[in-house]
Amino acid sequence: MARTPLRSDLIEEITARVLDGRLAAGTRVNEVHLARELGVSRTPLREALIGLTGRGLLVSAPGRGFLVPPFDPDEARRLYPLVAELEALALRWTSPLELAGLPDALDAVADEMAAAPDGADPSEVDDRWHALLLSRCPNPHLLRLIEQTKPLLKRYESGYFARADRAEESIGEHRRIAAALRDGDVRTASAVLVRNWVKALAYLGKDER
């Protein structure tokens, strides 16, 4: 007998569908079809959908059910600087001793991103690079806030990485961050990290889906 998905499983699966566009921006969630696809009843599905409204990935509209919000440049302009500053804060919160062991590992992930074949989506490796950068931060509340906020801007990320030169630009900044940390220069690393996030805003008007 197949295992009934847990609420957390449903939230993870629906989140993935929002982020990759299977649940398209600006459309209504068809609960009957989605429940059938996921093999669940409407009750646990609705609980998961309600949970995602609390995270900002869905909105609830009276008489229309649940909607995937349309892409909103104003939302992006709020989110990217927020995540940038939160990650920079997490980096500054980490002790120099903990940061000293990171540059080589960060460069290894950057090498992996650079070696990706043409046409490959580098966003998964980029996510791992950022997760590794923050992995030594001792503040779980700050990390939880970053984790909760990032999915909101992940909907916009495919546009930024649509061209190979943009991935290369991001890899270069990753290497500069690692080099600054190797020199013990957290201030420079934080500044480059903020720039790495915020400059993506320049591309959103051209590339958002």
Side-chain angles (χ1 to χ4, degrees):
M1 181 180 298
R3 179 177 68 87
T4 300
L6 300 173
R7 180 175 181 272
S8 58
D9 296 332
L10 290 174
I11 287 177
E12 183 177 340
E13 174 60 24
I14 298 167
T15 296
R17 292 181 181 223
V18 171
L19 298 185
D20 66 18
R22 283 177 288 170
L23 290 174
T27 63
R28 183 177 67 86
V29 177
N30 188 318
E31 295 180 46
V32 174
H33 290 173
L34 187 57
R36 185 180 302 123
E37 286 183 15
L38 299 178
V40 298
S41 67
R42 294 281 295 279
T43 298
L45 176 63
R46 181 168 284 269
E47 290 176 353
L49 296 174
I50 291 171
L52 288 171
T53 64
R55 301 184 185 189
L57 284 174
L58 297 176
V59 295
S60 179
R64 298 187 62 194
F66 296 90
L67 307 175
V68 182
F71 289 116
D72 179 0
D74 287 336
E75 178 187 44
R77 281 190 283 270
R78 291 188 295 267
L79 287 171
Y80 274 87
L82 174 61
V83 171
E85 294 296 340
L86 289 174
E87 283 206 351
L89 178 60
L91 188 59
R92 294 193 298 270
W93 212 307
T94 307
S95 75
L97 185 62
E98 292 287 349
L99 290 173
L102 279 180
D104 290 346
L106 291 170
D107 279 340
V109 179
D111 290 342
E112 185 179 344
M113 190 173 174
D118 291 342
D121 180 6
S123 60
E124 183 272 332
V125 183
D126 183 72
D127 288 343
R128 287 198 282 114
W129 188 93
H130 282 271
L132 177 61
L133 180 69
L134 306 185
S135 63
R136 311 293 175 85
C137 175
N139 189 324
H141 304 290
L142 176 56
L143 294 177
R144 191 175 305 116
L145 182 59
I146 294 171
E147 181 182 0
Q148 292 170 348
T149 306
K150 269 191 170 183
L152 297 176
L153 61 77
K154 286 297 291 181
R155 298 198 306 148
Y156 298 90
E157 284 294 276
S158 61
Y160 177 64
F161 285 118
R163 280 179 18 197
D165 59 330
R166 294 180 193 168
E168 291 170 4
E169 185 178 7
S170 188
I171 292 166
E173 289 171 337
H174 289 177
R175 296 196 191 282
R176 286 193 288 276
I177 292 167
L181 293 179
R182 192 173 282 114
D183 293 338
D185 187 355
V186 177
R187 176 178 295 182
T188 294
S190 298
V192 177
L193 178 62
V194 169
R195 186 163 64 247
N196 177 251
W197 278 111
V198 173
K199 69 180 178 53
L201 286 169
Y203 302 113
L204 291 179
K206 308 170 192 175
D207 297 314
E208 60 188 54
R209 287 175 290 180

